[in-house]
Amino acid sequence: MKVDVTELKPKKAILKIEDTEPYFVNSIRRIMLSELPKLAVDDVTIYDNTSALFDEIIAHRLGLVPIPTDLDLLVPRDECVCKGKGCPNCTVRYTLSKEGEGPDKKVVVYSGDLQPAEKSWAITEDKIPIVELYKEQRLILEIEAVLGCGKDHAKWQPVQAPGYRFIPTIEIDKERIDEVKEFINELPEGLVKLKGDKLEINDIKNMSVLESYIDKANADFITIKRDSSKIIFSFETDGSLKTEDALKKSAKILEEKYAEFGKLLKKIK
Amino acid sequence: MALERKDRNHIGDVVIIPVRCFTCGKVISEVYEEYKKRHTEYKTAIDSGEKPKEIPKKILDDLGVDRYCCRRMIISHVDLVGEAAPYE
Protein backbone atom coordinates (compact mmCIF):
# COMPACT_ATOMS: atom_id res chain seq x y z
CA MET A 1 0.00 0.00 0.00
CA LYS A 2 1.14 3.49 -0.83
CA VAL A 3 -0.38 6.66 0.57
CA ASP A 4 0.15 10.13 -0.90
CA VAL A 5 -1.19 13.21 0.81
CA THR A 6 -2.75 15.51 -1.77
CA GLU A 7 -4.17 17.92 0.76
CA LEU A 8 -4.04 17.95 4.56
CA LYS A 9 -5.61 20.98 6.22
CA PRO A 10 -7.00 20.93 9.80
CA LYS A 11 -10.53 20.64 8.43
CA LYS A 12 -10.12 19.01 5.02
CA ALA A 13 -8.02 16.11 3.75
CA ILE A 14 -7.53 14.37 0.42
CA LEU A 15 -5.42 11.22 0.26
CA LYS A 16 -4.33 9.15 -2.70
CA ILE A 17 -4.11 5.48 -1.75
CA GLU A 18 -2.58 2.96 -4.13
CA ASP A 19 -2.33 -0.86 -4.08
CA THR A 20 -5.40 -1.18 -1.90
CA GLU A 21 -8.93 -2.57 -2.10
CA PRO A 22 -12.21 -0.65 -1.87
CA TYR A 23 -13.31 -2.61 1.22
CA PHE A 24 -10.36 -1.27 3.20
CA VAL A 25 -11.00 2.39 2.42
CA ASN A 26 -14.71 1.83 2.97
CA SER A 27 -14.13 0.37 6.44
CA ILE A 28 -12.09 3.45 7.39
CA ARG A 29 -14.91 5.63 6.04
CA ARG A 30 -17.55 3.79 8.03
CA ILE A 31 -15.48 3.92 11.25
CA MET A 32 -15.19 7.69 10.76
CA LEU A 33 -18.94 8.05 10.40
CA SER A 34 -20.14 5.83 13.20
CA GLU A 35 -17.45 5.00 15.74
CA LEU A 36 -15.03 7.91 15.97
CA PRO A 37 -15.72 9.68 19.28
CA LYS A 38 -16.04 13.43 19.82
CA LEU A 39 -17.45 15.85 22.37
CA ALA A 40 -20.98 17.19 22.01
CA VAL A 41 -23.44 18.88 24.32
CA ASP A 42 -25.64 16.25 25.92
CA ASP A 43 -27.23 17.94 28.91
CA VAL A 44 -28.61 21.49 29.03
CA THR A 45 -29.95 23.14 32.17
CA ILE A 46 -31.89 26.26 31.25
CA TYR A 47 -32.35 28.70 34.12
CA ASP A 48 -33.94 31.51 32.15
CA ASN A 49 -35.03 31.75 28.53
CA THR A 50 -37.24 34.62 27.42
CA SER A 51 -35.96 34.60 23.83
CA ALA A 52 -38.08 33.97 20.72
CA LEU A 53 -36.93 30.37 20.37
CA PHE A 54 -38.12 27.45 22.48
CA ASP A 55 -35.83 25.79 25.04
CA GLU A 56 -35.72 22.65 22.90
CA ILE A 57 -34.58 24.49 19.78
CA ILE A 58 -31.79 26.23 21.70
CA ALA A 59 -30.70 22.91 23.25
CA HIS A 60 -30.70 21.32 19.77
CA ARG A 61 -28.62 24.14 18.32
CA LEU A 62 -26.12 23.85 21.18
CA GLY A 63 -25.85 20.13 20.52
CA LEU A 64 -24.70 20.79 16.97
CA VAL A 65 -21.89 23.18 17.97
CA PRO A 66 -18.52 21.48 17.41
CA ILE A 67 -16.45 21.37 20.60
CA PRO A 68 -12.66 20.94 20.29
CA THR A 69 -11.90 17.46 21.57
CA ASP A 70 -8.69 16.06 23.00
CA LEU A 71 -9.24 12.33 22.89
CA ASP A 72 -6.23 11.61 25.14
CA LEU A 73 -7.74 13.51 28.06
CA LEU A 74 -11.26 12.15 28.06
CA VAL A 75 -13.06 8.84 28.50
CA PRO A 76 -16.66 8.01 27.56
CA ARG A 77 -18.99 8.53 30.52
CA ASP A 78 -20.13 4.91 30.82
CA GLU A 79 -16.50 3.74 31.07
CA CYS A 80 -15.51 6.44 33.55
CA VAL A 81 -14.53 5.79 37.18
CA CYS A 82 -17.36 8.08 38.35
CA LYS A 83 -19.88 5.47 37.14
CA GLY A 84 -22.00 7.85 35.09
CA LYS A 85 -22.26 10.66 37.65
CA GLY A 86 -20.12 13.05 35.62
CA CYS A 87 -16.60 14.12 36.61
CA PRO A 88 -13.80 16.14 34.96
CA ASN A 89 -12.51 12.93 33.33
CA CYS A 90 -15.63 12.46 31.22
CA THR A 91 -17.49 15.79 31.22
CA VAL A 92 -16.76 19.31 29.99
CA ARG A 93 -18.94 22.08 31.40
CA TYR A 94 -19.85 25.46 29.95
CA THR A 95 -22.02 28.33 31.14
CA LEU A 96 -23.78 31.03 29.15
CA SER A 97 -25.45 34.21 30.29
CA LYS A 98 -26.55 37.03 28.02
CA GLU A 99 -29.16 39.75 27.99
CA GLY A 100 -30.74 42.05 25.40
CA GLU A 101 -29.64 45.69 25.36
CA GLY A 102 -32.74 47.79 24.94
CA PRO A 103 -35.41 48.13 22.26
CA ASP A 104 -33.33 49.22 19.25
CA LYS A 105 -30.43 46.86 19.56
CA LYS A 106 -30.04 43.26 18.49
CA VAL A 107 -27.76 41.07 20.58
CA VAL A 108 -26.63 37.83 18.99
CA VAL A 109 -25.65 34.95 21.24
CA TYR A 110 -22.71 33.20 19.60
CA SER A 111 -21.21 29.81 20.39
CA GLY A 112 -18.12 31.76 21.52
CA ASP A 113 -20.16 33.18 24.41
CA LEU A 114 -20.12 29.76 26.07
CA GLN A 115 -17.73 30.08 29.00
CA PRO A 116 -15.73 26.90 29.64
CA ALA A 117 -15.02 25.73 33.18
CA GLU A 118 -11.37 25.42 32.10
CA LYS A 119 -9.73 27.74 29.58
CA SER A 120 -8.29 24.89 27.49
CA TRP A 121 -11.77 23.82 26.39
CA ALA A 122 -12.68 27.20 24.84
CA ILE A 123 -14.78 26.80 21.71
CA THR A 124 -12.88 27.46 18.49
CA GLU A 125 -15.89 27.70 16.16
CA ASP A 126 -17.04 30.82 17.98
CA LYS A 127 -19.10 32.49 15.25
CA ILE A 128 -22.14 30.18 15.26
CA PRO A 129 -25.29 32.16 16.10
CA ILE A 130 -27.43 30.41 18.73
CA VAL A 131 -30.25 32.92 19.14
CA GLU A 132 -30.90 36.65 18.76
CA LEU A 133 -32.01 38.67 21.77
CA TYR A 134 -34.15 41.81 21.59
CA LYS A 135 -35.35 44.25 24.24
CA GLU A 136 -35.06 42.70 27.70
CA GLN A 137 -34.86 39.08 26.55
CA ARG A 138 -32.53 36.89 28.54
CA LEU A 139 -30.77 33.56 28.19
CA ILE A 140 -29.03 31.86 31.09
CA LEU A 141 -28.00 28.24 30.89
CA GLU A 142 -25.46 25.61 31.83
CA ILE A 143 -24.38 22.74 29.62
CA GLU A 144 -22.49 19.49 29.87
CA ALA A 145 -20.60 17.97 26.96
CA VAL A 146 -19.68 14.29 26.89
CA LEU A 147 -17.97 11.91 24.48
CA GLY A 148 -20.14 9.90 22.13
CA CYS A 149 -20.05 8.44 18.64
CA GLY A 150 -21.98 8.89 15.42
CA LYS A 151 -24.02 5.70 15.62
CA ASP A 152 -25.79 7.10 18.71
CA HIS A 153 -26.54 10.59 17.36
CA ALA A 154 -25.38 12.66 14.40
CA LYS A 155 -24.16 15.41 16.74
CA TRP A 156 -21.33 13.06 17.75
CA GLN A 157 -20.15 12.61 14.18
CA PRO A 158 -16.87 14.52 13.77
CA VAL A 159 -16.28 13.75 10.09
CA GLN A 160 -18.36 15.19 7.27
CA ALA A 161 -18.76 13.86 3.75
CA PRO A 162 -16.12 11.13 3.78
CA GLY A 163 -15.94 9.49 0.38
CA TYR A 164 -13.71 7.67 -2.05
CA ARG A 165 -13.49 7.33 -5.79
CA PHE A 166 -11.38 5.25 -8.13
CA ILE A 167 -8.75 7.12 -10.06
CA PRO A 168 -9.86 7.14 -13.70
CA THR A 169 -7.63 6.93 -16.75
CA ILE A 170 -8.83 8.34 -20.04
CA GLU A 171 -7.92 6.49 -23.22
CA ILE A 172 -8.52 7.81 -26.69
CA ASP A 173 -8.57 6.12 -30.07
CA LYS A 174 -5.43 7.51 -31.73
CA GLU A 175 -6.69 6.77 -35.23
CA ARG A 176 -9.73 8.98 -34.68
CA ILE A 177 -7.86 11.96 -33.21
CA ASP A 178 -9.76 14.43 -35.42
CA GLU A 179 -13.07 13.33 -33.92
CA VAL A 180 -11.57 13.69 -30.45
CA LYS A 181 -10.46 17.26 -31.20
CA GLU A 182 -13.90 18.10 -32.52
CA PHE A 183 -15.48 16.61 -29.36
CA ILE A 184 -13.18 18.63 -27.09
CA ASN A 185 -14.25 21.88 -28.75
CA GLU A 186 -17.80 21.16 -27.61
CA LEU A 187 -16.78 20.80 -23.94
CA PRO A 188 -16.90 23.58 -21.33
CA GLU A 189 -13.69 25.57 -21.21
CA GLY A 190 -10.97 24.31 -18.88
CA LEU A 191 -12.50 20.87 -18.37
CA VAL A 192 -9.85 18.84 -20.19
CA LYS A 193 -6.57 19.37 -21.99
CA LEU A 194 -5.07 17.43 -24.87
CA LYS A 195 -1.37 16.66 -24.53
CA GLY A 196 -0.09 15.11 -27.73
CA ASP A 197 -2.26 12.00 -28.01
CA LYS A 198 -3.19 11.93 -24.33
CA LEU A 199 -6.37 13.41 -22.93
CA GLU A 200 -6.15 14.72 -19.37
CA ILE A 201 -8.78 16.09 -17.02
CA ASN A 202 -7.90 19.22 -15.07
CA ASP A 203 -9.93 18.51 -11.96
CA ILE A 204 -10.81 14.91 -11.09
CA LYS A 205 -14.01 16.14 -9.38
CA ASN A 206 -15.40 17.05 -12.80
CA MET A 207 -15.13 13.52 -14.15
CA SER A 208 -18.91 13.07 -14.12
CA VAL A 209 -19.29 16.19 -16.26
CA LEU A 210 -16.99 14.75 -18.89
CA GLU A 211 -18.78 11.41 -18.71
CA SER A 212 -22.17 12.97 -19.31
CA TYR A 213 -20.77 14.74 -22.38
CA ILE A 214 -19.34 11.46 -23.66
CA ASP A 215 -22.70 9.76 -23.13
CA LYS A 216 -24.57 12.53 -24.87
CA ALA A 217 -22.28 12.53 -27.91
CA ASN A 218 -22.00 8.73 -28.01
CA ALA A 219 -18.25 9.22 -28.19
CA ASP A 220 -16.94 5.68 -28.47
CA PHE A 221 -13.46 6.96 -29.37
CA ILE A 222 -12.95 7.90 -25.70
CA THR A 223 -12.98 5.23 -23.00
CA ILE A 224 -12.69 5.77 -19.29
CA LYS A 225 -11.12 3.01 -17.23
CA ARG A 226 -11.23 2.82 -13.49
CA ASP A 227 -8.77 0.86 -11.40
CA SER A 228 -10.22 -0.19 -8.03
CA SER A 229 -6.75 -0.49 -6.50
CA LYS A 230 -6.09 3.24 -6.91
CA ILE A 231 -8.35 5.31 -4.74
CA ILE A 232 -8.79 8.96 -3.83
CA PHE A 233 -10.14 9.30 -0.31
CA SER A 234 -11.41 12.65 0.91
CA PHE A 235 -13.10 13.83 4.07
CA GLU A 236 -13.77 16.94 6.15
CA THR A 237 -14.07 17.51 9.88
CA ASP A 238 -16.32 19.98 11.66
CA GLY A 239 -13.43 21.43 13.68
CA SER A 240 -13.79 19.29 16.79
CA LEU A 241 -10.94 17.04 15.64
CA LYS A 242 -8.07 17.71 13.26
CA THR A 243 -8.19 15.61 10.08
CA GLU A 244 -4.86 14.05 10.99
CA ASP A 245 -6.06 13.00 14.46
CA ALA A 246 -9.37 11.77 13.06
CA LEU A 247 -7.63 9.54 10.52
CA LYS A 248 -5.13 8.13 13.04
CA LYS A 249 -7.82 7.44 15.62
CA SER A 250 -10.04 5.73 13.01
CA ALA A 251 -7.17 3.49 11.98
CA LYS A 252 -6.58 2.64 15.63
CA ILE A 253 -10.23 1.76 16.23
CA LEU A 254 -10.17 -0.50 13.15
CA GLU A 255 -6.97 -2.14 14.39
CA GLU A 256 -8.55 -2.83 17.79
CA LYS A 257 -11.56 -4.40 16.09
CA TYR A 258 -9.37 -6.80 14.12
CA ALA A 259 -7.37 -7.62 17.27
CA GLU A 260 -10.57 -8.43 19.16
CA PHE A 261 -11.81 -10.59 16.28
CA GLY A 262 -8.49 -12.44 16.26
CA LYS A 263 -8.79 -13.15 19.97
CA LEU A 264 -12.29 -14.56 19.54
CA LEU A 265 -11.07 -16.83 16.75
CA LYS A 266 -8.42 -18.28 19.04
CA LYS A 267 -11.12 -19.19 21.56
CA ILE A 268 -12.99 -21.20 18.91
CA LYS A 269 -9.95 -23.38 18.31
CA MET B 1 -52.42 32.32 4.42
CA ALA B 2 -49.87 35.06 3.97
CA LEU B 3 -49.80 35.62 7.70
CA GLU B 4 -49.48 31.95 8.36
CA ARG B 5 -46.44 31.66 6.15
CA LYS B 6 -44.75 34.78 7.40
CA ASP B 7 -43.24 33.27 10.52
CA ARG B 8 -41.99 30.14 8.81
CA ASN B 9 -39.11 29.55 6.47
CA HIS B 10 -38.51 26.87 3.83
CA ILE B 11 -38.44 23.98 6.27
CA GLY B 12 -41.58 25.27 7.91
CA ASP B 13 -40.34 25.74 11.42
CA VAL B 14 -37.07 27.35 12.35
CA VAL B 15 -36.63 31.10 12.08
CA ILE B 16 -32.86 31.29 12.45
CA ILE B 17 -30.19 29.87 10.12
CA PRO B 18 -29.65 26.14 10.89
CA VAL B 19 -26.29 25.40 12.54
CA ARG B 20 -25.36 22.69 10.04
CA CYS B 21 -26.21 21.60 6.54
CA PHE B 22 -29.12 19.12 6.67
CA THR B 23 -27.52 16.77 4.18
CA CYS B 24 -23.79 16.61 4.92
CA GLY B 25 -23.49 18.15 8.38
CA LYS B 26 -20.99 20.88 7.55
CA VAL B 27 -21.24 23.88 9.89
CA ILE B 28 -22.65 26.63 7.67
CA SER B 29 -24.22 29.08 10.12
CA GLU B 30 -20.91 30.80 10.86
CA VAL B 31 -20.58 32.14 7.30
CA TYR B 32 -24.21 33.23 6.96
CA GLU B 33 -23.76 36.70 8.45
CA GLU B 34 -20.93 37.54 6.07
CA TYR B 35 -22.86 36.13 3.12
CA LYS B 36 -25.85 38.27 4.05
CA LYS B 37 -23.68 41.39 4.28
CA ARG B 38 -22.00 40.80 0.94
CA HIS B 39 -25.27 39.78 -0.69
CA THR B 40 -26.88 43.09 0.38
CA GLU B 41 -23.99 44.92 -1.32
CA TYR B 42 -24.64 42.89 -4.46
CA LYS B 43 -28.36 43.60 -4.25
CA THR B 44 -27.95 47.37 -3.83
CA ALA B 45 -25.52 47.45 -6.76
CA ILE B 46 -28.01 45.57 -8.96
CA ASP B 47 -30.94 47.77 -7.90
CA SER B 48 -29.08 50.99 -8.67
CA GLY B 49 -28.12 49.62 -12.08
CA GLU B 50 -24.40 49.33 -11.37
CA LYS B 51 -22.20 46.35 -12.03
CA PRO B 52 -21.90 44.38 -8.77
CA LYS B 53 -18.43 43.78 -7.30
CA GLU B 54 -19.12 40.06 -6.91
CA ILE B 55 -21.94 37.67 -7.72
CA PRO B 56 -23.48 35.30 -5.12
CA LYS B 57 -21.65 32.36 -6.75
CA LYS B 58 -18.32 34.00 -6.01
CA ILE B 59 -19.32 34.86 -2.45
CA LEU B 60 -20.20 31.22 -1.71
CA ASP B 61 -17.01 29.94 -3.34
CA ASP B 62 -15.05 32.46 -1.33
CA LEU B 63 -16.65 31.39 1.94
CA GLY B 64 -15.70 27.76 1.29
CA VAL B 65 -19.25 26.51 0.74
CA ASP B 66 -18.48 24.04 -2.07
CA ARG B 67 -21.21 21.41 -2.16
CA TYR B 68 -24.65 22.24 -3.46
CA CYS B 69 -26.31 20.81 -0.36
CA CYS B 70 -24.63 23.45 1.79
CA ARG B 71 -25.19 26.21 -0.78
CA ARG B 72 -28.95 25.72 -0.78
CA MET B 73 -28.98 26.03 3.02
CA ILE B 74 -27.65 29.58 2.70
CA ILE B 75 -29.35 30.65 -0.53
CA SER B 76 -32.84 29.49 0.45
CA HIS B 77 -32.83 30.68 4.03
CA VAL B 78 -35.25 33.41 5.12
CA ASP B 79 -34.09 35.10 8.29
CA LEU B 80 -37.12 35.79 10.47
CA VAL B 81 -35.95 35.76 14.10
CA GLY B 82 -36.69 39.48 14.26
CA GLU B 83 -40.30 38.83 13.29
CA ALA B 84 -40.78 36.20 15.98
CA ALA B 85 -38.95 38.25 18.62
CA PRO B 86 -41.98 39.99 20.22
CA TYR B 87 -43.30 36.56 21.26
CA GLU B 88 -41.63 34.78 24.13
Side-chain angles (χ1 to χ4, degrees):
Chain A
M1 196 188 291
K2 207 182 127 205
V3 181
D4 274 333
V5 177
T6 318
E7 192 184 331
L8 191 69
K9 288 184 202 151
K11 283 169 83 174
K12 191 181 180 187
I14 301 172
L15 304 168
K16 198 169 151 188
I17 309 174
E18 283 175 29
D19 299 327
T20 184
E21 291 285 331
Y23 77 83
F24 175 74
V25 184
N26 193 34
S27 53
I28 291 274
R29 183 189 73 89
R30 291 190 53 161
I31 293 276
M32 278 179 169
L33 282 177
S34 62
E35 309 219 10
L36 190 60
K38 75 163 249 190
L39 273 178
V41 174
D42 195 36
D43 198 37
V44 183
T45 316
I46 294 177
Y47 295 112
D48 196 4
N49 172 25
T50 50
S51 74
L53 298 186
F54 291 119
D55 293 0
E56 292 90 328
I57 295 179
I58 290 171
H60 177 236
R61 291 181 71 80
L62 288 167
L64 295 176
V65 172
I67 296 170
T69 310
D70 190 343
L71 291 172
D72 298 331
L73 295 180
L74 290 158
V75 287
R77 191 175 257 191
D78 49 356
E79 290 167 25
C80 185
V81 283
C82 67
K83 287 171 190 162
K85 275 186 212 134
C87 66
N89 282 328
C90 62
T91 316
V92 180
R93 285 192 173 82
Y94 296 86
T95 52
L96 190 151
S97 164
K98 217 162 181 181
E99 202 171 342
E101 292 170 8
D104 311 314
K105 222 177 150 197
K106 178 178 89 177
V107 176
V108 185
V109 181
Y110 289 108
S111 55
D113 293 327
L114 291 165
Q115 296 299 325
E118 274 174 65
K119 275 249 163 64
S120 53
W121 295 109
I123 287 173
T124 44
E125 312 282 310
D126 53 1
K127 285 305 245 178
I128 302 169
I130 305 293
V131 68
E132 288 172 7
L133 300 175
Y134 298 82
K135 292 175 207 158
E136 317 283 77
Q137 292 176 345
R138 242 185 315 168
L139 183 65
I140 301 166
L141 49 82
E142 212 176 86
I143 55 176
E144 274 181 13
V146 294
L147 279 185
C149 54
K151 63 182 170 187
D152 295 324
H153 194 290
K155 69 182 174 185
W156 282 306
Q157 183 190 306
V159 172
Q160 262 72 250
Y164 59 92
R165 56 182 77 222
F166 304 145
I167 296 175
T169 44
I170 308 169
E171 283 173 12
I172 54 172
D173 194 344
K174 282 166 198 162
E175 282 160 19
R176 294 163 75 184
I177 194 91
D178 292 338
E179 280 176 81
V180 174
K181 278 179 185 160
E182 202 180 308
F183 173 72
I184 290 169
N185 283 335
E186 300 286 308
L187 295 177
E189 216 170 295
L191 186 68
V192 290
K193 56 176 179 261
L194 194 66
K195 271 188 183 172
D197 54 2
K198 270 187 188 158
L199 190 64
E200 279 173 16
I201 190 148
N202 289 329
D203 188 350
I204 204 156
K205 267 191 275 177
N206 294 330
M207 205 62 203
S208 54
V209 180
L210 177 65
E211 271 178 303
S212 63
Y213 272 96
I214 293 172
D215 269 3
K216 202 176 153 200
N218 262 330
D220 56 350
F221 40 84
I222 298 174
T223 44
I224 292 166
K225 282 192 179 144
R226 287 194 162 81
D227 183 357
S228 66
S229 70
K230 287 178 188 163
I231 287 170
I232 283 189
F233 181 54
S234 61
F235 65 97
E236 286 173 24
T237 68
D238 59 6
S240 51
L241 289 172
K242 280 193 185 107
T243 46
E244 207 183 324
D245 298 338
L247 192 66
K248 279 180 186 160
K249 183 75 184 170
S250 310
K252 212 178 159 198
I253 293 170
L254 189 61
E255 198 184 312
E256 279 163 14
K257 275 186 183 294
Y258 277 126
E260 201 188 332
F261 187 55
K263 255 187 222 163
L264 291 172
L265 285 183
K266 265 180 207 154
K267 267 185 207 162
I268 294 169
K269 252 188 180 178
Chain B
M1 195 60 193
L3 258 179
E4 238 181 4
R5 292 179 68 174
K6 210 181 168 192
D7 61 341
R8 282 155 210 275
N9 69 357
H10 67 291
I11 54 159
D13 192 29
V14 193
V15 290
I16 189 167
I17 178 87
V19 177
R20 289 169 186 252
C21 167
F22 291 150
T23 305
C24 70
K26 183 186 164 74
V27 179
I28 44 104
S29 55
E30 54 186 3
V31 298
Y32 181 69
E33 250 172 49
E34 199 183 331
Y35 173 80
K36 207 167 147 185
K37 206 178 99 204
R38 284 159 77 168
H39 185 265
T40 331
E41 276 171 30
Y42 160 80
K43 199 88 191 183
T44 43
I46 287 279
D47 289 346
S48 59
E50 287 166 32
K51 198 173 177 278
K53 207 167 63 191
E54 49 187 2
I55 55 170
K57 176 182 186 292
K58 212 200 138 238
I59 305 173
L60 287 170
D61 286 341
D62 211 37
L63 293 171
V65 186
D66 297 326
R67 284 182 290 274
Y68 56 64
C69 59
C70 311
R71 291 168 95 99
R72 63 94 207 256
M73 296 300 297
I74 290 177
I75 291 171
S76 63
H77 181 251
V78 185
D79 218 18
L80 291 169
V81 214
E83 312 250 349
Y87 316 101
E88 289 186 357

